[in-house]
Amino acid sequence: MLKKTITIIFFFSILIALSAEKYLHTEKIINKAAKAATKIWDEYEIEIEPLDLDQSSQYYSSYDTLFRIVGGDSTLGFLVLSSAKGRFEMFDFMMVYTPETEVIDMRVMVYRSEYGSQVCSKRWLKQFYGIPSSKSLQYGSDVDALSGATFSARSLTEQVNRLNRLLRENSNKN
Amino acid sequence: MLFAGVFSLSAKAQDDNVEQQNTAQRLLVADQDKNLVIGGYGQIDYNQQFGDGKKYNGNLDVHRFVLLVGYHFTDRLQVITEIEFEHVKEVFVEQAFMNYRLNNYMNLRGGLMLIPMGIVNEYHEPPLFNGVERPNVDKYIVPTTWREIGLGISGTLPGPSMKYQAYIVNGFKGYDGSPKFNGKNGLRSGRQKGAESILSHPNLSMKLEYFGLPGLNVGLAGYFGKSQSTVYNGIDKNDNQQITAADSSVVGTAMVGLDFRYIKKGLQLKGQLIYNSLSNTIQYNEFTGSDLGSSMIGYYVELGYDVLSGSGKGEQKLVPFARYENYNTHQSVEGIIAQNDAFNRSDITVGIGYWFTAGAVVKADYQRFSNAAGDGINQFNAGLGFMF
């Protein structure tokens, strides 16, 4: 029985290994995030334009990339990519905002550690949807605590607070 | 059309907007300047037994101090090591494994790894549990910190909110000229911890966790296999008599564990139930002269409340808690062994912890240890715990 299980696990792993991409490009992740954004506005042909960020802002970090999502000559929303720290490792996430800077989609794109990977839960991330970016969120009260992923979940909440402010500072620029 | 966004971005990247491109390049690639990860945890304890009209000396102990060193070779390949000092003078390697991230859903892992069973074996850093000492279910039934050398897969599925682990690992050493298992401590002394460990039967360890409901994490773990024995080494493959004798020096293990953690605002609720069914114990006890039970069971439930929750104090926590545990390493016995009521134990722990921040805590608690044979001990504990 054990031999069979070993064989199954082994072949399953090989199969996944072969189908997995060799390595992830930054650009590839941006494309992936952009693709997710295009699905939201599938009636438009959309473009994403990087926002020129004010790097002297206290809310700016070098991990941030903000895009304006444009379709039919108007701003449809914003795409934000950044990274947060888990207990040991950085993990990358994306958020899609409305023009009024409310989150409408959020995903963890790359999670590098086994520790605290519960933070990828789509259901947990949905808590951030629809909350006005002017509101400062408190982990454990505004945002449900996440058993087994305290460090990652708290850090992500703080990053969302920071990125909300950064986006508001930059959303009116061209 | 789906790719409209993609193409327009690529066009931008070709622009001479070099600064933007550089920022984007830095993003999402594991922090290149921080390939080396250093962390650690420790606990410094004071234990004082008291009561029954006798004087007892207290114990002051740097119970554990563990240094974690990790390194990213690439964005996908990392190594994690933990060096542990127990009671200052005993040195162990607590973990040493390599992890290869195939994608967001699957990792390949090999080396000295923690066995996923119950809560504390994997989440054993002092700021992650209430009480100065780890629960005793996680000592006698799950032999924390339980780790063996092996390989397997792990991963997280964000859609269904599930996490899985499946490993082939080396098992307990049950016999090496003298028995390693007994009635009181169960399998605890059989842990090989990756130190010149012997292998005669690979074991299977699996865990599935579900975290889709807010604040809740539920785990179901299984561990199956046989113990290892030195008697097999060098015997004739065709000598059935010798092989039968060697077979008497191993036991079969089928351990199943259910655990849950729930957090809602200040409320913390935790519990686990572990059942271990052992086979071949008649032969094992006859061969070795031990008194190992044929099944063991243990459970605990714990209730805590963070009174600082929602008070805007950030990471600070003040958590009074109470825990009830029952664990019986002689849940059932076979053959001539008599069931020992002293191995049917219950602990009550009541205490408080103050977290300065998520990684630093001071704790104090009172424990009452009793057993079905009618003996009891009182103990006061105080301690410092940290992780970084």
Side-chain angles (χ1 to χ4, degrees):
Chain A
M1 180 257 181
L2 195 61
K3 253 191 192 154
K4 224 181 207 172
T5 318
I6 297 173
T7 320
I8 290 168
I9 291 178
F10 182 74
F11 279 108
F12 192 37
S13 309
I14 295 285
L15 207 74
I16 298 277
L18 290 175
S19 62
E21 310 102 39
K22 279 248 159 45
Y23 53 92
L24 283 168
H25 282 293
T26 303
E27 209 173 299
K28 208 168 185 176
I29 294 177
I30 294 175
N31 285 350
K32 235 165 122 183
K35 207 165 152 182
T38 55
K39 275 189 188 162
I40 299 172
W41 294 282
D42 56 1
E43 70 271 30
Y44 292 99
E45 274 206 28
I46 70 161
E47 282 188 21
I48 59 170
E49 307 169 351
L51 290 177
D52 196 5
L53 299 177
D54 172 13
Q55 299 194 1
S56 63
S57 162
Q58 56 170 319
Y59 303 123
Y60 172 77
S61 112
S62 61
Y63 293 111
D64 306 336
T65 311
L66 276 59
F67 299 94
R68 180 188 301 281
I69 303 169
V70 183
D73 290 334
S74 59
T75 298
L76 299 173
F78 299 95
L79 170 64
V80 171
L81 292 161
S82 190
S83 299
K85 184 106 163 56
R87 186 176 164 210
F88 298 121
E89 320 270 347
M90 302 297 293
F91 60 93
D92 310 327
F93 62 94
M94 66 141 231
M95 293 191 282
V96 179
Y97 287 81
T98 63
E100 295 75 36
T101 66
E102 276 180 22
V103 177
I104 49 170
D105 193 6
M106 185 164 173
R107 286 172 209 194
V108 174
M109 307 296 285
V110 181
Y111 199 85
R112 296 186 178 80
S113 169
E114 193 54 27
Y115 209 100
S117 59
Q118 288 94 328
V119 80
C120 302
S121 166
K122 285 185 178 155
R123 233 190 235 204
W124 186 80
L125 291 170
K126 276 193 178 154
Q127 294 181 93
F128 293 96
Y129 293 13
I131 296 171
S133 64
S134 52
K135 187 172 159 76
S136 185
L137 299 167
Q138 264 205 30
Y139 177 72
S141 50
D142 301 317
V143 176
D144 284 324
L146 192 58
S147 294
T150 313
F151 284 81
S152 299
R154 187 188 293 277
S155 139
L156 184 57
T157 307
E158 282 164 10
Q159 291 306 312
V160 171
N161 284 335
R162 182 182 66 76
L163 288 161
N164 279 341
R165 294 191 180 101
L166 183 71
L167 178 62
R168 283 213 312 282
E169 276 185 357
N170 289 282
S171 58
N172 294 323
K173 290 188 202 163
N174 284 312
Chain B
M1 171 134 106
L2 203 63
F3 295 97
V6 178
F7 289 130
S8 63
L9 174 78
S10 302
K12 293 264 178 211
Q14 299 297 319
D15 286 356
D16 44 8
N17 192 350
V18 177
E19 192 170 337
Q20 183 61 52
Q21 196 182 350
N22 281 347
T23 310
Q25 295 293 347
R26 252 180 293 159
L27 162 93
L28 307 171
V29 179
D31 209 342
Q32 295 293 346
D33 308 330
K34 292 175 189 157
N35 284 337
L36 186 66
V37 176
I38 295 191
Y41 72 88
Q43 67 182 78
I44 300 156
D45 303 342
Y46 167 56
N47 308 113
Q48 178 68 60
Q49 199 180 322
F50 66 95
D52 61 35
K54 286 183 191 156
K55 272 182 87 72
Y56 292 100
N57 286 338
N59 266 315
L60 292 166
D61 189 20
V62 180
H63 193 152
R64 297 184 179 90
F65 175 64
V66 176
L67 257 183
L68 178 144
V69 181
Y71 193 77
H72 288 277
F73 295 100
T74 69
D75 196 29
R76 292 181 179 280
L77 183 66
Q78 62 174 156
V79 62
I80 297 277
T81 64
E82 278 188 345
I83 301 163
E84 176 182 37
F85 295 87
E86 252 189 65
H87 313 296
V88 178
K89 57 192 184 294
E90 297 167 27
V91 182
F92 295 100
V93 175
E94 195 166 84
Q95 301 186 64
F97 62 84
M98 286 179 81
N99 194 75
Y100 185 80
R101 189 169 58 82
L102 288 169
N103 51 41
N104 271 358
Y105 317 111
M106 185 173 282
N107 298 276
L108 299 180
R109 182 179 286 193
L112 181 65
M113 308 182 293
L114 298 173
I115 305 293
M117 176 65 70
I119 300 167
V120 168
N121 200 53
E122 283 183 278
Y123 297 93
H124 51 242
E125 293 84 349
L128 300 183
F129 59 87
N130 285 319
V132 174
E133 303 298 342
R134 297 173 181 178
N136 272 329
V137 171
D138 290 309
K139 179 176 180 184
Y140 292 100
I141 309 294
V142 181
T144 307
T145 308
W146 182 12
R147 69 273 191 189
E148 293 293 345
I149 295 173
L151 67 114
I153 53 171
S154 69
T156 303
L157 310 172
S161 298
M162 293 181 100
K163 192 170 166 174
Y164 65 89
Q165 300 178 71
Y167 308 118
I168 305 294
V169 294
N170 198 3
F172 294 101
K173 180 165 71 181
Y175 187 79
D176 66 354
S178 59
K180 296 289 159 200
F181 303 147
N182 62 40
K184 186 183 181 207
N185 294 317
L187 307 180
R188 186 168 179 82
S189 307
R191 291 174 299 164
Q192 304 205 70
K193 305 172 185 171
E196 295 184 289
S197 53
I198 58 159
L199 172 68
S200 52
H201 299 98
N203 286 215
L204 179 65
S205 168
M206 292 173 295
K207 185 164 187 180
L208 197 61
E209 284 168 84
Y210 174 70
F211 47 89
L213 297 173
L216 184 70
N217 190 309
V218 188
L220 176 66
Y223 179 92
F224 308 97
K226 282 181 176 175
S227 66
Q228 324 297 307
S229 167
T230 53
V231 183
Y232 289 104
N233 202 31
I235 61 173
D236 187 343
K237 273 185 179 170
N238 302 312
D239 188 337
N240 287 333
Q241 212 175 343
Q242 276 193 311
I243 288 172
T244 307
D247 285 344
S248 301
S249 66
V250 305
V251 299
T253 311
M255 197 188 295
V256 179
L258 193 63
D259 63 70
F260 79 96
R261 286 170 278 174
Y262 180 72
I263 306 177
K264 184 75 188 175
K265 311 279 181 198
L267 180 74
Q268 306 178 350
L269 209 54
K270 246 183 213 184
Q272 67 181 38
L273 170 68
I274 315 286
Y275 178 74
N276 188 2
S277 170
L278 299 164
S279 60
N280 207 44
T281 57
I282 296 180
Q283 293 83 340
Y284 179 82
N285 288 333
E286 271 176 20
F287 185 87
T288 64
S290 190
D291 63 343
L292 181 65
S294 60
S295 70
M296 308 193 275
I297 195 165
Y299 67 88
Y300 74 73
V301 280
E302 183 189 288
L303 173 69
Y305 191 83
D306 173 16
V307 297
L308 298 182
S309 166
S311 66
K313 300 247 188 227
E315 295 185 4
Q316 286 182 68
K317 286 194 288 180
L318 182 65
V319 185
F321 77 96
R323 180 171 65 228
Y324 176 78
E325 295 182 68
N326 179 264
Y327 47 103
N328 188 354
T329 46
H330 261 188
Q331 169 70 13
S332 64
V333 293
E334 283 179 332
I336 54 161
I337 303 297
Q339 209 162 13
N340 189 338
D341 281 344
F343 300 160
N344 181 5
R345 289 157 278 190
S346 300
D347 304 350
I348 292 170
T349 309
V350 182
I352 193 161
Y354 171 67
W355 276 254
F356 298 93
T357 171
V361 60
V362 283
K363 302 174 181 176
D365 58 65
Y366 160 78
Q367 290 190 293
R368 170 79 189 165
F369 305 111
S370 52
N371 62 48
D375 301 327
I377 292 173
N378 298 306
Q379 188 166 298
F380 170 76
N381 308 303
L384 306 171
F386 57 86
M387 67 193 282
F388 52 89

